[in-house]
Amino acid sequence: GENVEQHPSTLSVQEGDSAVIKCTYSDSASNYFPWYKQELGKRPQLIIDIRSNVGEKKDQRIAVTLNKTAKHFSLHITETQPEDSAVYFCAGVNYGQNFVFGPGTRLSVLP
Amino acid sequence: GAVVSQHPSWVICKSGTSVKIECRSLDFQATTMFWYRQFPKQSLMLMATSNEGSKATYEQGVEKDKFLINHASLTLSTLTVTSAHPEDSSFYICMASRGYTFGSGTRLTVV
């Protein structure tokens, strides 16, 4: 089955700097890779996703890149703001099947 | 878009009692519902997959007699935690396979 690793587990950046979180996956059949932001006590919120036929996707300050050969994908947040502070989870999935989540990254944006 | 209503949002119960958590798809038919559990500061772990009209599929290590899942209709899936113990205290959240839509989650505290 799928196994998703995520690094780093914690990340602190200064406001305005960029943050990068990396994930690797094991199942070559996985073809959908979403990223979720979770604030304390709340449900995860989808912030961006990418399918295996695309190498990069951007939405304002957030971007995701995918390297299928190396089986890794990354989340990039530019111009970080205090409200970006949260726990971020990546996931890998063979679309239609269940998600396998990474262990999470706690991002702190320092003012 | 697709909405999954989950209730209750939080519940406190005594050890040995049972708690039922409901997830309803409000504007679509959810043939498959994934049930996840999230312990504090940890990732979301799949407990089981429920399919309408058939028995749920449980992940390894999840006791099917303790975590009863019923998916009797296309709009309702329920998770019942039976004979709850303090170690069952966790955040339980459902996700419909259609659109990968999360419910709002249930924080269970067993005292």
Side-chain angles (χ1 to χ4, degrees):
Chain A
E2 177 67 285
N3 180 53
V4 178
E5 297 184 355
Q6 184 173 346
H7 299 279
S9 57
T10 60
L11 178 61
S12 293
V13 299
Q14 290 295 135
E15 182 177 357
D17 288 349
S18 296
V20 180
I21 303 171
K22 298 180 180 180
C23 287
T24 60
Y25 62 99
S26 62
D27 190 350
S28 57
S30 291
N31 52 22
Y32 177 62
F33 306 93
W35 284 90
Y36 285 84
K37 174 183 180 182
Q38 187 179 32
E39 297 177 341
L40 190 63
K42 297 184 178 180
R43 81 180 93 186
Q45 297 283 348
L46 177 69
I47 56 172
I48 197 167
D49 56 10
I50 192 168
R51 295 184 184 270
S52 59
N53 58 348
V54 176
E56 182 174 358
K57 184 178 179 180
K58 188 174 183 180
D59 183 4
Q60 299 183 356
R61 297 187 296 111
I62 297 173
V64 56
T65 58
L66 171 65
N67 183 326
K68 285 193 301 181
T69 303
K71 294 183 185 173
H72 66 72
F73 56 110
S74 299
L75 176 71
H76 305 254
I77 305 175
T78 59
E79 301 173 26
T80 54
Q81 301 167 2
E83 50 265 38
D84 294 329
S85 296
V87 179
Y88 291 80
F89 293 99
C90 62
V93 58
N94 185 351
Y95 201 86
Q97 306 300 312
N98 62 281
F99 280 13
V100 177
F101 289 92
T105 296
R106 183 170 300 276
L107 173 65
S108 298
V109 180
L110 308 174
Chain B
V3 175
V4 175
S5 175
Q6 183 171 347
H7 294 280
S9 56
W10 62 270
V11 58
I12 301 173
C13 70
K14 293 183 177 181
S15 290
T17 61
S18 295
V19 173
K20 179 185 283 188
I21 300 169
E22 294 187 347
C23 280
R24 292 182 183 272
S25 56
L26 298 185
D27 50 2
F28 66 100
Q29 294 180 333
T31 55
T32 298
M33 194 76 77
F34 303 115
W35 285 93
Y36 287 87
R37 177 169 57 183
Q38 185 180 31
F39 291 110
K41 296 186 178 181
Q42 294 189 22
S43 188
L44 296 95
M45 299 301 294
L46 182 69
M47 298 177 65
T49 301
S50 73
N51 294 291
E52 186 270 334
S54 63
K55 290 184 178 180
T57 303
Y58 290 83
E59 295 300 299
Q60 191 173 10
V62 178
E63 300 174 57
K64 61 180 181 181
D65 294 329
K66 179 174 180 60
F67 299 98
L68 302 179
I69 290 175
N70 185 283
H71 197 150
S73 79
L74 288 170
T75 59
L76 176 63
S77 178
T78 63
L79 166 66
T80 301
V81 183
T82 63
S83 187
H85 290 273
E87 55 264 33
D88 298 325
S89 298
S90 187
F91 185 67
Y92 294 85
I93 191 166
C94 60
M95 173 199 268
S97 63
R98 178 173 169 176
Y100 288 117
T101 305
F102 274 110
S104 53
T106 298
R107 182 159 303 283
L108 170 64
T109 302
V110 184
V111 298

